[in-house]
C-alpha cells in the first residue's frame, strides 16, 4: 500500500469540515493525512535509540509515549515525532515527509546494533478532540489512557492521550480498519480536516516539525524541553553537546510562539517575519486560516524580544501580528533536572 494512502483517504476527506474557531473544542475526529510511521524493532532497539534520541528511553515504560527528536551532530533536528513503546519495539509517528531521511540517517548509526528500522505503511492515525470526550471514549473503548500513556485497544490499535487546550487523543490503527473505526466514531465525533487538529496544536503551542524546517532548529527553538521531549540527564546522544550547551548557557534568543493576524493571509512554511524596523526576526512554521474568521493562526519561531512586544509583521506589508502568551511556563533550569 502506498505510504500516502491517497485512494484510501479520498472518500473520508469528502465528509470533513474545515477548521473553525467557534467550534474548535467540539467533539471532532481529524484524519491525520500527513502522518507516517517508522517502526524500530530488535533486541538492541532501545539501546540503539537511547544513543540517538533526545528523550530518555530508559524511563519510557511499555505503553508510554513521549515527544522526541533526532538531531544532527550540530544539534539541528532532522526529525521530531511522538515515540511509543509498543509491544513489538518502538513506533515513531511523524510527518510522512520526514520518514525517508529519518530511516536513512538512523540507519547510519545502526550497524553495530541488532535493530531494524522499517517504514510502516500499514498504519494511519486519527485525532480525537473535544472539551468533554473522555466519557464518550470510555464507552467506546472501555477505558481511556492518562497523561503520557497509551492503551492497546486491540492488536495494532493504540489510543494515546496527548496534551492540548481541550481533551485530545490519537488513535493509531491499521489502514484496512479505517472504514470500520470511522463509521463507529462518527456517531459521536464530527469529521474534520487535519487543519482542525493543527489549529489545536497552534492554540496549545505544540509544534510539529515539517519537512520544510528539517535541520533548521535545535529542540529549544520549538520549546521541546518544556514539552518533555528532551532529557538533559540521560547522557550522550547525537547532537547532545550542542543542545545541552545552549540550555546551560541560557542564551536562546528565539522560541516558538502562537501568532494571530486579523487578515486571512496565506503563510507557507519559512515565510520570513520582520519587526517594524524591517529586521528579520523569525519565520513561520505553519499556519491555518479558519473558515469562520477573517484571521490566520500560526506557529512561528521568532525572537523573544519581538514576541514580548508583539513587534511582528510581514516584510513590505501592513499586516501585523499579535503574539499570544505561552500557555506553559518555560523554566530552563528546572528542565536541566529531567
Amino acid at each position: 500500500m502506498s505510504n500516502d494512502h491517497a485512494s484510501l483517504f479520498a472518500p473520508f476527506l469528502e465528509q470533513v469540515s474545515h477548521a473553525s474557531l467557534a467550534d474548535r473544542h467540539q467533539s471532532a475526529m481529524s484524519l491525520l493525512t500527513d502522518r507516517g510511521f517508522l517502526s524500530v524493532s530488535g533486541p538492541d532497539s532501545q539501546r540503539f535509540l537511547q544513543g540517538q534520541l533526545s528523550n530518555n528511553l530508559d524511563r519510557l515504560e511499555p505503553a508510554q509515549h513521549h515527544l522526541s527528536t533526532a538531531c544532527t551532530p550540530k544539534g539541528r533536528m532532522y526529525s521530531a515525532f511522538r515515540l511509543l513503546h509498543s509491544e513489538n519495539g518502538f513506533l515513531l509517528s511523524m510527518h510522512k515527509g520526514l520518514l525517508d531521511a529519518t530511516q536513512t540517517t538512523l540507519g547510519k548509526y545502526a550497524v553495530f546494533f541488532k535493530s531494524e528500522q522499517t517504514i510502516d505503511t500499514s498504519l494511519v492515525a486519527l485525532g480525537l478532540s473535544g472539551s468533554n470526550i473522555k466519557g464518550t471514549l470510555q464507552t467506546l473503548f472501555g477505558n481511556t489512557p492518562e497523561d503520557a500513556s497509551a492503551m492497546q485497544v486491540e492488536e495494532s490499535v493504540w489510543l494515546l492521550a496527548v496534551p492540548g487546550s481541550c481533551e485530545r487523543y490519537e488513535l493509531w490503527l491499521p489502514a484496512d480498519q479505517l472504514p470500520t473505526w470511522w463509521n463507529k466514531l462518527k456517531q459521536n465525533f464530527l469529521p474534520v480536516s487535519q487543519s482542525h487538529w493543527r489549529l489545536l496544536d497552534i492554540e496549545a503551542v505544540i509544534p510539529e516539525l515539517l519537512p520544510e524546517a528539517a535541520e533548521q532548529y535545535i529542540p529549544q527553538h520549538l520549546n521541546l524541553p518544556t514539552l518533555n521531549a528532551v532529557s538533559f540527564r540521560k547522557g550522550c546522544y547525537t547532537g547532545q553537546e550542542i543542545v545541552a550547551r545552549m540550555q546551560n548557557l541560557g542564551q536562546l534568543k528565539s522560541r516558538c510562539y502562537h501568532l494571530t493576524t486579523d487578515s486571512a493571509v496565506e503563510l507557507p512554511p519559512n515565510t520570513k517575519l520582520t519587526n517594524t524596523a524591517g529586521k528579520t526576526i523569525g519565520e513561520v512554521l505553519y499556519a491555518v486560516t479558519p473558515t469562520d474568521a477573517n484571521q490566520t493562526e500560526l506557529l512561528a519561531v521568532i525572537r523573544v524580544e519581538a514576541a514580548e512586544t508583539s513587534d511582528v509583521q510581514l516584510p513590505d506589508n501592513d499586516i501585523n501580528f499579535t503574539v499570544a502568551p505561552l500557555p506553559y511556563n518555560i523554566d530552563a533550569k528546572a528542565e536541566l533536572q529531567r
Side-chain angles (χ1 to χ4, degrees):
M1 182 180 293
S2 171
N3 186 55
D4 61 17
H5 300 300
S7 59
L8 172 68
F9 290 161
F12 304 106
L13 293 178
E14 293 175 356
Q15 304 175 38
V16 304
S17 303
H18 293 288
S20 163
L21 274 182
D23 297 328
R24 61 182 162 181
H25 292 168
Q26 67 182 321
S27 297
M29 169 176 62
S30 306
L31 182 55
L32 306 183
T33 55
D34 69 5
R35 193 69 65 85
F37 292 86
L38 184 70
S39 172
V40 181
S41 58
D44 291 342
S45 57
Q46 180 164 334
R47 190 161 62 93
F48 162 61
L49 290 176
Q50 180 75 342
Q52 296 304 317
L53 307 188
S54 59
N55 64 335
N56 190 348
L57 274 74
D58 289 344
R59 294 185 178 180
L60 190 67
E61 300 293 334
Q64 287 187 334
H65 61 90
H66 280 302
L67 290 176
S68 189
T69 74
C71 299
T72 69
K74 294 183 179 180
R76 301 283 166 168
M77 295 181 293
Y78 65 84
S79 191
F81 36 83
R82 188 164 296 281
L83 171 74
L84 170 67
H85 191 167
S86 69
E87 78 276 24
N88 296 319
F90 297 90
L91 279 174
L92 287 62
S93 172
M94 67 190 72
H95 192 287
K96 64 186 181 184
L98 298 173
L99 284 169
D100 289 337
T102 303
Q103 182 188 34
T104 298
T105 306
L106 285 178
K108 295 176 181 178
Y109 297 97
V111 292
F112 300 110
F113 298 89
K114 295 178 180 178
S115 178
E116 182 178 0
Q117 301 83 50
T118 306
I119 294 175
D120 190 339
T121 60
S122 71
L123 294 174
V124 296
L126 292 172
L128 305 173
S129 59
S131 295
N132 295 288
I133 64 171
K134 182 179 291 187
T136 301
L137 291 177
Q138 288 174 341
T139 299
L140 287 167
F141 296 105
N143 201 353
T144 52
E146 302 289 338
D147 300 324
S149 64
M151 184 177 77
Q152 189 167 13
V153 177
E154 55 187 57
E155 185 177 0
S156 301
V157 180
W158 289 90
L159 183 67
L160 294 74
V162 298
S165 298
C166 63
E167 294 172 16
R168 296 207 299 169
Y169 299 83
E170 291 188 11
L171 185 67
W172 299 357
L173 66 155
D176 59 9
Q177 294 186 32
L178 178 60
T180 299
W181 281 104
W182 183 274
N183 290 328
K184 183 186 299 186
L185 289 164
K186 75 176 183 179
Q187 305 303 315
N188 296 284
F189 294 89
L190 177 69
V192 292
S193 68
Q194 181 165 286
S195 63
H196 179 93
W197 189 257
R198 190 152 282 163
L199 184 64
L200 295 176
D201 279 341
I202 291 171
E203 178 186 34
V205 194
I206 301 175
E208 177 186 5
L209 185 71
L210 270 58
E212 293 88 343
E215 298 192 31
Q216 284 185 208
Y217 302 114
I218 62 172
Q220 288 94 331
H221 284 133
L222 301 193
N223 308 343
L224 290 177
T226 305
L227 297 173
N228 297 314
V230 181
S231 170
F232 294 98
R233 299 175 67 86
K234 62 171 281 185
C236 294
Y237 59 91
T238 302
Q240 177 264 342
E241 183 178 352
I242 303 297
V243 176
R245 181 185 302 147
M246 180 60 71
Q247 191 80 4
N248 278 288
L249 293 176
Q251 295 180 343
L252 190 72
K253 297 180 179 179
S254 298
R255 288 196 177 275
C256 183
Y257 292 91
H258 171 195
L259 281 65
T260 302
T261 181
D262 291 331
S263 301
V265 57
E266 186 175 351
L267 295 171
N270 290 327
T271 298
K272 296 299 181 184
L273 301 172
T274 64
N275 59 18
T276 51
K279 181 180 179 180
T280 298
I281 49 88
E283 55 279 325
V284 173
L285 285 177
Y286 46 82
V288 172
T289 299
T291 57
D292 62 341
N294 186 35
Q295 65 188 66
T296 298
E297 307 281 321
L298 62 145
L299 289 181
V301 177
I302 60 174
R303 304 277 290 192
V304 173
E305 66 267 22
E308 291 174 344
T309 57
S310 279
D311 185 12
V312 185
Q313 63 181 39
L314 284 175
D316 304 317
N317 200 306
D318 60 357
I319 295 177
N320 296 307
F321 296 85
T322 299
V323 183
L326 287 173
Y328 42 73
N329 180 51
I330 292 179
D331 187 337
K333 291 184 178 179
E335 292 161 7
L336 283 169
Q337 305 307 312
R338 295 175 184 160

